[in-house]
Amino acid sequence: MSTVETTKVAATGNAVSSREWRNLLISAVLFIVAALVPLVFGGYALQLAISIMMYTAFATSWLLFSGPTNYIALSTAAFFGIGMYTVAGGIDLAPYPVLLIAAAVAGAILAAVVGLATLRVSGVYFVIFSLGLAELVRQIMTWLQHVLGTMSGIYVTIDRSEPMYYWQLLILTAVIFLVGWWIGRSRLGFALRIIGNDELVAVHCGINTARAKVILFIISSTFASIAGGLIAPRWGYVEPVVAFSPFLSFQVVIMALLGGTHRLWGPLVGVIPFVLIWEVIAIYFPSQTTLLLGVCFLLIVYVIPNGITGLIESATNRSAKGGASSGPLRSLLARGKTPNA
């Protein structure tokens, strides 16, 4: 969002415009259509739909923080793993809904500790620390399992159908979108957009940049932990290497960048083609996934740095300018005149 648009948002307050109501109505219709997917598709198609919904939740929650602040967080796997292990570790001790709440609390606490330690400094230090966070937590979990005498993973047995997993992730994704929409219209979102444009200017404007970043980082990371808790029963077996794989963090960032980080719905545009293409790569090139992931990242950065939504907006702007500039010429020609007449 540009500075002019941001100023307009601040000036309009909390009033919901007709355009926003229309977008909310369209979103509600799309949500209803998406909810019908398990009733129409099954088997392999439904598994792909679950993957798309899972990564949409991850990429959108990642965008809540990294989109407005321009801080690249590579810590998704850490919070995903925390959510998985919270559910897996307590599956025999508490009801599943309670474990999901515990996963959210655990993710929020870890995010608060990490945010307070790293978000008071420049973004590059945060990127480096977030990259190593998943490995740090993985090593801690491996050590704990060694101390407890269980070197293997943990089995998670909950009777859930595939449609149930899909609907749970769909509801989580819808909540993330609503929270993102609300943040975008709030004073917190306004402050974060100023931070993303120029953090020094934000400081001089009197914005507590550290507090704003930590709050949004906690919100974003909490959703990633909840998603991990929802996925744990579907995977059935949780171990540190899988739960805290840094591969997941890079995939989420690439999907969000592919779709575009300037619109809340951008990750959805990036997740769908990426999941489908990645499925083909996993089938035909299973031993080259890491290499091809790096190639995908380079192509996105150098070919479409603003993502698919950026391409759509650029094409729309060019079309609008072209239509506006050619309008008077068409009018003159229609009346049988030349431009110099």
Side-chain angles (χ1 to χ4, degrees):
M1 183 178 287
S2 65
T3 305
V4 175
E5 290 175 316
T6 303
T7 305
K8 289 180 179 179
V9 170
T12 56
N14 293 324
V16 181
S17 65
S18 58
R19 180 179 180 182
E20 287 177 318
W21 280 119
R22 183 188 64 197
N23 291 339
L24 286 174
L25 179 60
I26 293 173
S27 300
V29 172
L30 292 176
F31 174 81
I32 294 173
V33 172
L36 299 176
V37 168
L39 304 179
V40 179
F41 300 99
Y44 182 66
L46 181 56
Q47 292 180 18
L48 281 178
I50 293 173
S51 296
I52 289 173
M53 199 55 60
M54 179 187 73
Y55 283 113
T56 301
F58 281 137
T60 309
S61 64
W62 178 90
L63 185 67
L64 291 183
F65 171 77
S66 296
T69 63
N70 292 324
Y71 278 58
I72 302 299
L74 297 174
S75 54
T76 302
F79 298 101
F80 171 72
I82 287 294
M84 292 193 78
Y85 261 93
T86 302
V87 170
I91 198 64
D92 297 326
L93 304 174
Y96 183 54
V98 174
L99 293 177
L100 289 179
I101 296 175
V105 172
I109 293 174
L110 178 62
V113 173
V114 173
L116 291 172
T118 61
L119 288 174
R120 297 178 181 275
V121 293
S122 300
V124 62
Y125 299 102
F126 171 77
V127 174
I128 294 172
F129 188 85
S130 67
L131 177 61
L133 181 62
E135 181 63 20
L136 174 64
V137 180
R138 184 180 75 85
Q139 293 294 340
I140 293 174
M141 294 305 300
T142 303
W143 174 77
L144 286 175
Q145 288 190 176
H146 177 74
V147 171
L148 296 174
T150 57
M151 291 303 296
S152 59
I154 304 175
Y155 287 96
V156 188
T157 55
I158 296 180
D159 187 16
R160 287 285 190 279
S161 62
E162 290 289 272
M164 184 60 68
Y165 289 119
Y166 176 85
W167 284 321
Q168 288 177 336
L169 290 169
L170 176 62
I171 292 172
L172 176 63
T173 303
V175 171
I176 295 172
F177 270 99
L178 287 175
V179 171
W181 174 78
W182 173 79
I183 290 175
R185 302 178 65 255
S186 68
R187 294 179 62 184
L188 175 62
F190 179 61
L192 288 164
R193 284 190 290 274
I194 297 178
I195 293 172
N197 288 330
D198 194 324
E199 191 163 344
L200 186 59
V201 171
V203 172
H204 289 311
C205 290
I207 296 174
N208 189 332
T209 57
R211 183 177 64 183
K213 290 184 293 184
V214 169
I215 290 173
L216 198 57
F217 184 64
I218 291 173
I219 295 173
S220 173
S221 303
T222 300
F223 283 126
S225 295
I226 296 174
L230 292 175
I231 291 299
R234 183 171 185 260
W235 286 14
Y237 182 76
V238 179
E239 59 179 344
V241 175
V242 176
F244 300 101
S245 172
F247 200 74
L248 173 66
S249 298
F250 284 104
Q251 281 183 310
V252 169
V253 172
I254 290 174
M255 290 178 189
L257 293 178
L258 176 61
T261 59
H262 299 292
R263 291 291 180 268
L264 188 61
W265 51 271
L268 178 62
V269 180
V271 166
I272 295 176
F274 188 91
V275 168
L276 298 177
I277 294 173
W278 201 253
E279 192 69 16
V280 175
I281 291 174
I283 293 173
Y284 293 101
F285 309 98
S287 60
Q288 305 296 330
T289 52
T290 304
L291 173 63
L292 293 175
L293 186 70
V295 171
C296 290
F297 179 75
L298 292 175
L299 287 175
I300 293 171
V301 170
Y302 287 102
V303 179
I304 47 173
N306 294 321
I308 297 175
T309 57
L311 293 177
I312 295 174
E313 291 177 353
S314 297
T316 303
N317 292 336
R318 285 197 299 268
S319 177
K321 290 179 180 179
S325 61
S326 60
L329 180 59
R330 288 200 197 100
S331 179
L332 288 171
L333 294 176
R335 288 179 290 180
K337 298 180 180 180
T338 65
N340 295 325

